Amino acid sequence: DTAVSQTPKYLVTQMGNDKSIKCEQNLGHDTMYWYKQDSKKFLKIMFSYNNKELIINETVPNRFSPKSPDKAHLNLHINSLELGDSAVYFCASRRTESNTGELFFGEGSRLTVL
Amino acid sequence: QQQVKQSPQSLIVQKGGISIINCAYENTAFDYFPWYQQFPGKGPALLIAIRPDVSEKKEGRFTISFNKSAKQFSLHIMDSQPGDSATYFCAAFSSGSARQLTFGSGTQLTVLP
């Protein structure tokens, strides 16, 4: 069983479209994240949720809207896609009580905007 | 601004050699320093982590050395193997209520057979 699963794994779309990426974790964690990995493999945090509540919202265009229907799910909706949104998006989770910085990542969703 | 700086960007090592990756951090509000390993097409996975009050931690062939006064830490991979070929990220875990991982820029390690 995959601990953190993301769908879809690949997404190719045209500029201006709206798309969503879904994330689910079965680890019982209550903190979840979205990270963006660019073409140079740099990983940057976008959002963090704790128990469905937004905790961290980095400088991300408001075209990106996360939604956490319950603590096992954190979805990412992107409006009016732009070329610069092309990247790999990773969902991750951790136990809130954990102090070690261990995050469990999904396998990523590669978004290509044409 | 980048709070965790990592070097080198890429590293090529012969099988059996030692791989060394260095990181430096700027913010003192970090209280854990993990290293992550990422294979192509996969998400990063925790490799080894260290607390700032410990100067060294070893797990198998992987060792973290930590210098708190210099705000530097490094990963040593002993007896490097082709299967170690991956991208390695150092990271710093922030303290406080909004805890997050800040990653270095990554090192592409290639171990030649």
Side-chain angles (χ1 to χ4, degrees), chain A residues 23 29 33 38 40 43-44 46 48 51 61 66 80 93-94 106:
Chain A
C23 177
H29 293 166
Y33 302 85
D38 62 23
K40 295 183 179 178
L43 278 159
K44 185 166 167 41
M46 300 175 70
S48 170
N51 267 324
S80 303
S93 72
R94 71 174 181 93

Side-chain angles (χ1 to χ4, degrees), chain A residues 52-70:
Chain A
K52 306 192 297 175
E53 194 176 319
L54 181 66
I55 301 296
I56 296 171
N57 183 353
E58 289 293 311
T59 309
V60 175
N62 56 17
R63 298 181 295 103
F64 290 78
S65 51
K67 272 211 172 83
S68 182
D70 55 62

Side-chain angles (χ1 to χ4, degrees), chain A residues 33 35 45 99 101 103 107, chain B residues 36 38 42 87 99-101:
Chain A
Y33 302 85
Y35 277 83
I45 189 168
N99 293 324
L103 270 59
E107 295 203 334
Chain B
Y36 279 76
Q38 184 180 26
K42 301 293 184 183
T87 301
R99 309 198 73 175
Q100 60 173 295
L101 267 184

Side-chain angles (χ1 to χ4, degrees), chain A residues 9 33 35 37 40-43 45 48 55-56 58 90 94 96 98-108, chain B residues 2 31-34 36 38 41-46 49 87 89 93 97-105 108:
Chain A
K9 192 172 173 69
Y33 302 85
Y35 277 83
Q37 186 169 49
K40 295 183 179 178
K41 294 198 175 178
F42 188 66
L43 278 159
I45 189 168
S48 170
I55 301 296
I56 296 171
E58 289 293 311
F90 285 99
R94 71 174 181 93
T96 303
S98 169
N99 293 324
T100 64
E102 182 173 19
L103 270 59
F104 293 80
F105 284 82
E107 295 203 334
Chain B
Q2 192 178 353
D31 61 5
Y32 232 92
F33 297 86
Y36 279 76
Q38 184 180 26
K42 301 293 184 183
L46 180 69
T87 301
F89 294 92
F93 192 49
S97 57
R99 309 198 73 175
Q100 60 173 295
L101 267 184
T102 300
F103 285 92
S105 52
Q108 176 71 54

Side-chain angles (χ1 to χ4, degrees), chain A residues 78-93:
Chain A
I78 315 169
N79 290 328
S80 303
L81 279 156
E82 300 178 357
L83 292 175
D85 297 332
S86 295
V88 181
Y89 292 85
F90 285 99
C91 176
S93 72

